[in-house]
Amino acid sequence: MIHGIIPVNKPCGLSSAKAVARVKHILHVKKAGHTGTLDPEATGLLVCGINKGTKLSRFLLNGTKTYSAGIHLGIETDTLDASGRVVNTCDTDTTEIITKERVLQTLEQFIGQISQEPPVYSALKHKGQPLYRLARAGTPVVKPPRDVKIFNIRLVEMMLPLITIEVHCTAGTYIRSLARDIGRHLGCGAHLSALCRTECCGLTLKEAVSLADLEAMDRKTAQAQVVSLTDSLPDMPLIQADDKLMETIKFGREIKIRDYPQLGQELHKSPFLRICDRDRALAAIVEYNKARDRFKYSCVFAG
């Protein structure tokens, strides 16, 4: 069996669930799942866990993301994107009131910790029901604002009424909400006209394979596109275990930092560590518990 992740370039108009189903069928694997959904109209990097690779979902779900986003100024929609019904327009021509300087100043206001109201058309649940289903039934539910962090926003292109930005942010950030809020801050309203995820947890769109290309490959070539468990989290420190540490992991014994000082050398980078054996096969992912001065197991693959 193959285990790991495969970065896929999801096309527009396909749900994340359907994209994963196609990957599972192409690779002929028993288990597959995405590690962070994309809206059907969004494109770009969709990371799929394959077999034991699905255990890595929690790390990829919570990792940072980078998006390229097109924003249409002057028009607001109920879904906050181009698929929705127009609910408000700007009476003044945006080309007359919006300057590059104003846009740059506005984008700067959103860098850092911000409070964001999730879209009423989203997959968030309310009493077990997705918000988009309630909204389509005429009973939209507004969820309370939540804190997210924008590390950086860069203006890529400005051809009014359209602007294109690049956003580096924490998981859980709604770019549709960001587009709405940027438009409101500018005083003209806006909606998200296009969205592409370009990076996730150190993986980039350049490394992704399209579904069409994947389907054109024979099974062996397609399966060769799967990134190994060891290489699936490039942003997380990697330690090669000696025989003593491997035996400790295989028997599920406590990993005390005083017994393995080499592990402590990487803790300034991350509380999580990847541990592999001498052949670079991933044995475990562990998390440092400062209070107990030892590591706890997050995922174990050796055994």
Side-chain angles (χ1 to χ4, degrees), residues 70-95 97-98 159-163 175-194:
I71 299 176
H72 192 295
L73 302 178
I75 299 175
E76 290 189 345
T77 69
D78 57 355
T79 60
L80 311 186
D81 62 17
S83 68
R85 177 177 58 87
V86 174
V87 294
N88 195 23
T89 59
C90 183
D91 294 334
T92 308
D93 186 350
T94 55
T95 59
I97 63 172
I98 305 300
M159 296 183 65
L160 294 177
L162 302 176
I163 64 172
I175 308 300
R176 283 182 291 151
S177 294
L178 180 63
R180 172 200 60 201
D181 296 341
I182 288 171
R184 289 179 177 176
H185 196 281
L186 286 167
C188 61
H191 68 270
L192 187 70
S193 59

Side-chain angles (χ1 to χ4, degrees), residues 8-11 13-21 33-49 57-67 119 121-125 130-132 146 169-176 192 195-201:
V8 172
N9 188 350
K10 189 188 84 66
L14 187 70
S15 72
S16 297
K18 288 183 178 179
V20 169
H34 64 72
T35 59
T37 188
L38 276 173
D39 288 340
E41 298 308 307
T43 64
L45 185 61
L46 183 72
V47 182
C48 302
S57 293
R58 57 174 289 203
F59 303 103
L60 293 160
L61 277 168
N62 295 323
T64 62
K65 313 287 193 297
T66 302
Y67 297 91
Y121 285 85
S122 72
L124 284 177
K125 298 288 182 68
L131 294 190
Y132 66 78
R146 59 184 184 181
C169 56
T170 55
T173 302
Y174 280 100
I175 308 300
R176 283 182 291 151
L192 187 70
L195 182 67
C196 178
R197 184 156 65 202
T198 58
E199 189 171 354
C200 172
C201 301

Side-chain angles (χ1 to χ4, degrees), residues 286-301:
V286 296
E287 180 183 9
Y288 179 58
N289 185 321
K290 188 175 182 179
R292 300 187 65 199
D293 199 29
R294 63 195 64 191
F295 292 88
K296 64 178 182 179
Y297 295 99
S298 297
C299 299
V300 178
F301 302 95

Side-chain angles (χ1 to χ4, degrees), residues 105-118:
Q105 289 174 345
T106 295
L107 296 182
E108 191 173 345
Q109 298 299 311
F110 290 91
I111 296 175
Q113 197 86 11
I114 63 171
S115 182
Q116 190 178 66
E117 181 184 295

